[in-house]
Amino acid sequence: MKGPGPRNPIQFPGMGKSVHKPLQGKTVLITGAARRLGRASALALARAGADVAITFRNSAREAQHTVIDISSLGVRAVALRCDITDQKSVRTTLKEVVKELGGLDILVNNAANYETADFDKLTLQQWDAIFASNTRGPFLVSQEALKYLRERQGRIINMGSLGGLRPWASHAHYCSSKAAVHMLTKVMAKALAPEIAVNCVAPGMIDLGEKAAAAFMKSMAKQTPMHRNGTGEEVAAAILFFATAPHFITGQILAVDGGLGL
Ligand SMILES: NC(=O)c1ccc[n+]([C@@H]2O[C@H](COP(=O)([O-])OP(=O)(O)OC[C@H]3O[C@@H](n4cnc5c(N)ncnc54)[C@H](OP(=O)(O)O)[C@@H]3O)[C@@H](O)[C@H]2O)c1
């Protein structure tokens, strides 16, 4: 089977071949989108007509490829190096995005870190590092983006996790950081209304084809009501939903998990 890619997209409702581009003229910033789920979301938003800025930290080469793939969809694309734990870096990045794309309509807080650790052995350094990227990062990027988003009646979409809704014993720091992102979503939705809508996508088990995870993925699929794991494109479809949904929808956490969390 041919894998999904920029020229082999999943078709979303209302996004058929009639060149319906619900995000035409809109600008998006998506953090940590050189590869994996961020890349899938960036491509989905570009296919819907948005000009897209992605950030990367270490994955410069992948970011370059993603920018080429986004550009091939006929929209503007830019990749900027940004460390979301660093205020100066975030501020400079936001200024650069607005300079390059002319404004900001949608921010997707995607960049994060994931780590497995036995509770007994979890160190303070591990705890703080996960919170710095996964929780403080989305807060910081959102705060720095506010003035631009307000000018455009914009949107913020956070990437949460099923791990923020359900406890995973070997991921205390990750689960707690994502639960905090879910609450941050609700607080921001209230604090930033009526100008900005804020929502959150919470993926469950998403199979990105990693060989090392194959056995784990198989066992998770068995436990999932939909009898399979999710795809990057299905997560991207949820991002696209919030990017195009009525502005009245705000403060929502949308699990994309095939029913695993039920
Ligand atoms: N994959 C899943 O199954 C799954 C499930 C539930 C939730 N999620 C959430 O969905 C989002 C995307 O998932 P993913 O698996 O694609 O993520 P990922 O590969 O673990 O991370 C995405 C990107 O975040 C960037 N990043 C990490 N720390 C950063 C920092 N301090 N500053 C700037 N960028 C930083 C990295 O950029 P560089 O590579 O450029 O360094 C990385 O490529 C994450 O928020 C994740 O927690 C994923």
Side-chain angles (χ1 to χ4, degrees):
M1 204 181 86
K2 213 171 142 197
R7 301 201 178 280
N8 181 26
I10 274 190
Q11 292 292 315
F12 304 118
M15 241 193 93
K17 288 188 177 125
S18 59
V19 251
H20 177 52
K21 303 267 185 190
L23 292 178
Q24 198 145 34
K26 302 283 185 193
T27 58
V28 174
L29 167 62
I30 170 158
T31 61
R35 50 200 198 92
R36 294 166 58 88
L37 294 186
R39 173 185 152 88
S41 299
L43 287 167
L45 295 167
R47 253 176 238 122
D51 293 322
V52 180
I54 64 166
T55 73
F56 64 95
R57 191 182 47 167
N58 298 321
S59 304
R61 207 164 42 86
E62 290 93 335
Q64 211 180 347
H65 285 149
T66 299
V67 160
I68 291 168
D69 290 341
I70 294 171
S71 303
S72 78
L73 296 164
V75 296
R76 284 186 295 166
V78 59
L80 300 159
R81 189 186 295 275
C82 176
D83 179 352
I84 59 160
T85 67
D86 181 79
Q87 190 169 34
K88 207 170 142 205
S89 172
V90 170
R91 198 165 282 173
T92 309
T93 301
L94 258 306
K95 278 192 188 139
E96 196 60 30
V97 169
V98 170
K99 201 173 118 196
E100 290 282 334
L101 300 183
L104 184 62
D105 295 283
I106 302 166
L107 165 66
V108 183
N109 282 310
N110 171 80
N113 288 287
Y114 177 81
E115 186 184 55
T116 303
D118 285 345
F119 188 83
D120 303 28
K121 296 190 186 120
L122 187 54
T123 66
L124 283 182
Q125 284 81 358
Q126 284 175 299
W127 181 277
D128 289 345
I130 285 285
F131 266 75
S133 60
N134 294 13
T135 309
R136 206 185 66 175
F139 159 71
L140 179 57
V141 182
S142 300
Q143 203 182 45
E144 292 294 338
L146 278 189
K147 67 173 172 201
Y148 308 114
L149 290 171
R150 279 202 173 108
E151 285 168 12
R152 301 268 189 117
Q153 296 273 303
R155 296 156 191 263
I156 297 173
I157 306 167
N158 292 324
M159 280 294 251
S161 173
L162 182 61
L165 297 168
R166 297 285 175 269
W168 298 340
S170 53
H171 298 81
H173 53 343
Y174 174 80
C175 289
S176 304
S177 75
K178 289 295 187 177
V181 167
H182 296 174
M183 180 50 79
L184 180 65
T185 301
K186 295 180 193 186
V187 172
M188 287 200 302
K190 220 166 164 179
L192 307 182
E195 292 93 355
I196 302 171
V198 188
N199 290 291
C200 177
V201 173
M205 293 302 144
I206 307 302
D207 194 344
L208 296 170
E210 282 162 306
K211 284 208 177 92
F216 173 71
M217 282 292 162
K218 209 171 160 188
S219 86
M220 291 315 298
K222 273 192 197 148
Q223 298 169 47
T224 301
M226 285 295 178
H227 288 179
R228 63 175 181 86
N229 299 301
T231 65
E233 284 62 37
E234 286 167 328
V235 175
I239 298 281
L240 184 60
F241 169 72
F242 283 133
T244 55
H247 220 231
F248 197 61
I249 298 176
T250 195
Q252 300 307 301
I253 318 294
L254 177 58
V256 180
D257 69 349
L260 182 61
L262 298 174

